[in-house]
Amino acid sequence: MRKNRLFCLFISLVFTIGASAQLVEKVREFLGDDTLKTHSVIRSDSDSANIADMKRELETARLNEANMRMEMEQLKLQAYAADSVKLVQQKLRIDSLRKFTQGVPVVVEGDTLFYIYAKRGGHTPQQRAVMNATAITELGKRFNLKPDSLYLESSDIVTDLMYGDKVLASFTDQDGLWEGRTRDQLAADKRHIVVDKLKDMKKEHSLWQLGKRIIFFVLVLLGQYLLFWATTWLFKKLKIRIQRLKDTKLKPISIQDYELLDTQKQVNLLIFLANILRYAFMLLQLVLTVPLLFSIFPQTEKLAYQIFSYIWNPVKSIFGGVIDYIPNLFTIFVICLAVKYLVRLVHYLATEVQSDRLKLNGFYPDWAMPTFHIIRFLLYAFMIAMIYPYLPGSDSGVFQGISVFVGLIVSLGSSTVIGNIIAGLVITYMRPFKLGDRIKLNDTTGNVIEKTPLVTRIRTPKNELVTIPNSFIMSSHTVNYSASARTYGLIIHAEVSIGYDVPWRKVHSLLLKAAQATQGVAADPEPFVLETELQDWYPVYQINAYITEADQLAQIYSNLYQSIQDVFAEADVEIMSPHYMAVRDGNETTIPKSGLKPEETKEG
């Protein structure tokens, strides 16, 4: 629209300048010729004709100028008509956009003064709003500010809000269209708003206000110093009271026979906790005081809010996260509670099976607790899998990466451990031995005192504690003495060599007598004798007897050997081990001369 107006004015000026130049030229020609002819009027009367011609040309020029002025007015009317049409179109377009377009606010110290909708001079509405707010804010902080000195300065295309030589805001015709008024009306309204804001800012940034802020700043510092002093004083008093508790109310804390905390350690712990409380309280004071100090002066007010946001935003996010996490926490609680009572149910069934009150076909009582441990592990693993999606941060890449890393480390470094655990499970259900059984594992003989998922521990008859990995037990042969002793009776045997000069029936009778007299040998089934070899100088007899106490195996063997010696010596029969020649060549008999039995020794 403005381009069309300028174009029309330019054409009008051209026409006007052209017509005026033609008229001036004719006048100059007229004056020049008239002067010449005045000097020559005496010379010739023919000059009168020339003057008449010039008058006619002058009249023609005047007529042309009038026609040009008429044409120029017509062009102006056409331009104004075109501008009016465009103005109506712009109004309609802006009215349609006003429903959906939000203006950009010009905000000064938290107050919205007005809104900007249109561009100007290559600046977007956002940029214009920032520039206007910055200029007004800088002006409002002057101590010598005179808000009523704001004035408006208008040109053909813009109206500026001025203070001295500084432009605070500029308003165009489009700005007026957006708010349904002329540009000058819009500028006048905004001037009143800006003047009122500057008056408020002048009060806020005056010397009196500065003095009050300085006094308030000093008072806050003094109050903070007094709080620190009071906190230190209260801590000293609290420390004295804690130390007095050592001889009054505090008592040693013990777990069974171990004294966990004596009174002096309790005093030290309480003083340490009081110190932590003291520093936490002082830190809280600083957290509140430092932003308060910065908020006193407008120049540092933004910094105060920024410092406070550094403290408040994490706390706010934590509290918000906790509140948002409550539904997930309730879900985790329900899952854990259900698994807990399910584990209790399985434990109750396991104890019933172990005590033989509940019998299941094909399920041994000693399987009950190992099976319970396996089921409990699976239930807890299932519980962790269920609550994993509800854990905070479970969907983050860092959490998942750590989980994968831990799983990789466990899988690479626990092959032996996993092998022992699997072997422990297999051993449990194979039932090669139970706790308390006397077993022989390769060259190790002893009683089983502990079975774990990883190792089995055996105590030998010499009280040696041997720890054997379960994977080694799986790859070795095991002899269980106690299982045979409980079920059939364990057979012990001893071999003796007697000369051919002693009838074998007598030897059998003596061996059976010795076995029956041995403490620990079962009467039923009865002992029996086997002849295992016929050597060149003697036959070899083997006495076999049943026992039921396998863990007393070494002692029963010792008793059996003693009994054999006593019985054969009493019957005056030589035991040919070690080897003795049957032909006497002066050698004495192997039978002891005295001390057959304790009773006989006393009699002797």
Side-chain angles (χ1 to χ4, degrees):
M1 181 184 296
R2 295 190 178 277
K3 290 182 178 179
N4 292 334
R5 288 183 180 179
L6 293 173
F7 180 73
C8 294
L9 291 174
F10 177 76
I11 293 176
S12 301
L13 291 173
V14 170
F15 284 135
T16 304
I17 293 170
S20 300
Q22 186 179 2
L23 180 61
V24 170
E25 184 179 357
K26 292 296 182 182
V27 171
R28 286 178 177 177
E29 290 178 1
F30 171 74
L31 293 176
D33 293 342
D34 185 55
T35 304
L36 294 174
K37 289 179 182 181
T38 302
H39 291 287
S40 61
V41 68
I42 302 173
R43 298 176 187 176
S44 177
D45 295 333
S46 61
D47 291 339
S48 58
N50 294 330
I51 292 173
D53 294 335
M54 296 173 76
K55 288 181 178 180
R56 286 194 297 272
E57 290 178 0
L58 181 60
E59 292 295 333
T60 302
R62 288 176 178 174
L63 182 59
N64 291 334
E65 182 182 1
N67 291 332
M68 289 181 183
R69 291 182 181 274
M70 292 279 294
E71 292 177 0
M72 186 176 65
E73 292 296 331
Q74 289 178 357
L75 289 173
K76 287 182 178 181
L77 291 174
Q78 292 176 0
Y80 287 142
D83 289 343
S84 299
V85 173
K86 290 183 179 180
L87 182 62
V88 172
Q89 291 178 352
Q90 283 188 349
K91 286 183 177 180
L92 293 175
R93 183 172 62 85
I94 289 174
D95 290 338
S96 63
L97 292 175
R98 189 180 290 112
K99 300 178 182 178
F100 309 101
T101 304
Q102 295 182 351
V104 180
V106 177
V107 181
V108 177
E109 293 188 347
D111 294 335
T112 300
L113 303 184
F114 51 88
Y115 292 87
I116 295 178
Y117 298 89
K119 297 180 180 179
R120 178 184 177 273
H123 296 292
T124 63
Q126 290 80 5
Q127 294 172 337
R128 292 181 62 193
V130 172
M131 291 188 296
N132 294 344
T134 303
I136 296 171
T137 302
E138 292 177 354
L139 180 63
K141 294 181 180 180
R142 294 184 181 180
F143 293 112
N144 57 350
L145 175 65
K146 298 179 179 179
D148 293 328
S149 299
L150 265 70
Y151 65 94
L152 299 175
E153 186 176 294
S154 298
S155 64
D156 293 336
I157 59 174
V158 69
T159 299
D160 294 325
L161 178 62
M162 305 284 294
Y163 183 84
D165 57 352
K166 184 177 180 61
V167 178
L168 301 182
S170 299
F171 304 97
T172 62
D173 291 330
Q174 279 201 346
D175 293 329
L177 289 176
W178 273 99
E179 300 200 19
R181 63 188 75 180
T182 64
R183 182 205 335 151
D184 294 334
Q185 292 175 342
L186 177 64
D189 292 342
K190 304 309 180 190
R191 177 186 175 277
H192 290 300
I193 296 174
V194 174
V195 168
D196 293 339
K197 180 61 181 177
L198 289 177
K199 290 180 178 179
D200 295 337
M201 293 179 68
K202 182 179 180 181
K203 296 179 181 179
E204 186 70 19
H205 297 280
S206 63
L207 292 175
W208 170 244
Q209 290 292 335
L210 179 61
K212 289 195 296 185
R213 290 191 180 98
I214 293 174
I215 293 173
F216 187 60
F217 184 85
V218 174
L219 289 176
V220 171
L221 287 178
L222 180 60
Q224 183 59 64
Y225 171 77
L226 292 176
L227 283 175
F228 277 172
W229 179 84
T231 303
T232 304
W233 181 79
L234 288 174
F235 171 74
K236 291 180 179 178
K237 294 293 184 181
L238 181 61
K239 185 177 179 180
I240 293 173
R241 292 182 64 88
I242 291 174
Q243 290 174 344
R244 289 177 181 174
L245 293 175
K246 177 181 178 181
D247 301 324
T248 56
K249 296 183 179 181
L250 293 180
K251 296 181 180 179
I253 300 176
S254 301
I255 299 177
Q256 293 182 355
D257 296 333
Y258 173 70
E259 189 177 67
L260 181 62
L261 291 175
D262 57 14
T263 55
Q264 184 59 45
K265 290 181 179 178
Q266 294 181 47
V267 168
N268 295 338
L269 179 61
L270 290 175
I271 293 176
F272 174 74
L273 294 177
N275 260 324
I276 293 178
L277 182 62
R278 169 195 175 189
Y279 291 126
F281 186 65
M282 295 175 70
L283 179 62
L284 180 61
Q285 294 175 15
L286 290 176
V287 166
L288 298 177
T289 304
V290 172
L292 181 61
L293 290 174
F294 281 104
S295 64
I296 293 174
F297 298 96
Q299 293 81 1
T300 58
E301 189 173 2
K302 292 183 179 179
L303 181 60
Y305 290 126
Q306 187 175 5
I307 294 174
F308 187 74
S309 66
Y310 291 155
I311 303 168
W312 172 245
N313 288 340
V315 175
K316 181 181 177 181
S317 62
I318 291 173
F319 278 104
V322 170
I323 294 174
D324 294 338
Y325 190 69
I326 288 177
N328 291 343
L329 188 63
F330 180 75
T331 303
I332 293 175
F333 174 75
V334 172
I335 294 173
C336 293
L337 192 64
V339 172
K340 175 183 177 181
Y341 282 100
L342 188 58
V343 169
R344 286 188 177 183
L345 175 62
V346 176
H347 182 264
Y348 170 75
L349 295 177
T351 53
E352 292 296 307
V353 172
Q354 187 181 28
S355 61
D356 279 339
R357 288 192 294 270
L358 176 62
K359 296 184 179 181
L360 300 176
N361 293 331
F363 194 90
Y364 298 96
D366 54 329
W367 286 357
M369 295 312 297
T371 304
F372 162 71
H373 293 310
I374 294 172
I375 295 176
R376 182 179 62 178
F377 172 78
L378 294 177
L379 286 175
Y380 283 140
F382 179 69
M383 180 188 71
I384 293 174
M386 289 184 65
I387 68 176
Y388 179 84
Y390 298 100
L391 295 177
S394 60
D395 54 347
S396 65
V398 176
F399 193 91
Q400 296 172 357
I402 292 175
S403 301
V404 173
F405 178 74
V406 172
L408 182 63
I409 294 299
V410 172
S411 62
L412 293 178
S414 61
S415 57
T416 304
V417 175
I418 298 300
N420 283 324
I421 292 175
I422 299 301
L425 292 176
V426 175
I427 291 171
T428 298
Y429 289 96
M430 284 176 58
R431 305 177 70 241
F433 49 79
K434 297 190 301 183
L435 288 177
D437 284 358
R438 172 63 64 90
I439 67 171
K440 180 179 181 181
L441 183 62
N442 286 357
D443 296 331
T444 304
T445 302
N447 293 77
V448 179
I449 62 171
E450 185 180 6
K451 289 171 58 178
T452 68
L454 298 176
V455 298
T456 298
R457 290 186 173 87
I458 298 175
R459 178 179 286 115
T460 67
K462 303 300 183 183
N463 278 338
E464 298 167 337
L465 188 61
V466 182
T467 300
I468 303 173
N470 289 333
S471 58
F472 179 78
I473 297 176
M474 285 292 298
S475 60
S476 305
H477 65 276
T478 305
V479 179
N480 191 330
Y481 298 112
S482 297
S484 298
R486 285 192 300 267
T487 307
Y488 313 106
L490 181 65
I491 299 177
I492 63 173
H493 64 278
E495 293 184 345
V496 294
S497 54
I498 307 298
Y500 285 104
D501 56 331
V502 181
W504 63 267
R505 291 179 179 84
K506 183 178 180 179
V507 175
H508 282 210
S509 176
L510 293 175
L511 289 175
L512 291 175
K513 181 180 178 181
Q516 292 169 354
T518 302
Q519 184 179 358
V521 173
D524 186 27
E526 295 180 353
F528 59 93
V529 179
L530 298 176
E531 296 188 23
T532 59
E533 293 183 75
L534 295 176
Q535 296 288 347
D536 294 338
W537 310 104
Y538 50 81
V540 178
Y541 302 91
Q542 185 185 84
I543 177 65
N544 295 269
Y546 291 87
I547 66 171
T548 57
E549 299 294 334
D551 56 344
Q552 300 294 326
L553 185 61
Q555 184 61 45
I556 294 174
Y557 263 114
S558 177
N559 295 337
L560 178 60
Y561 294 146
Q562 293 172 7
S563 181
I564 291 174
Q565 293 181 70
D566 290 341
V567 170
F568 275 75
E570 184 179 358
D572 201 22
V573 176
E574 288 184 292
I575 299 176
M576 306 301 290
S577 298
H579 299 173
Y580 279 89
M581 297 295 294
V583 178
R584 293 300 173 189
D585 55 359
N587 292 331
E588 296 182 357
T589 178
T590 59
I591 301 173
K593 293 184 173 63
S594 61
L596 297 179
K597 288 184 180 179
E599 295 80 2
E600 296 178 359
T601 305
K602 292 178 181 179
E603 293 175 358

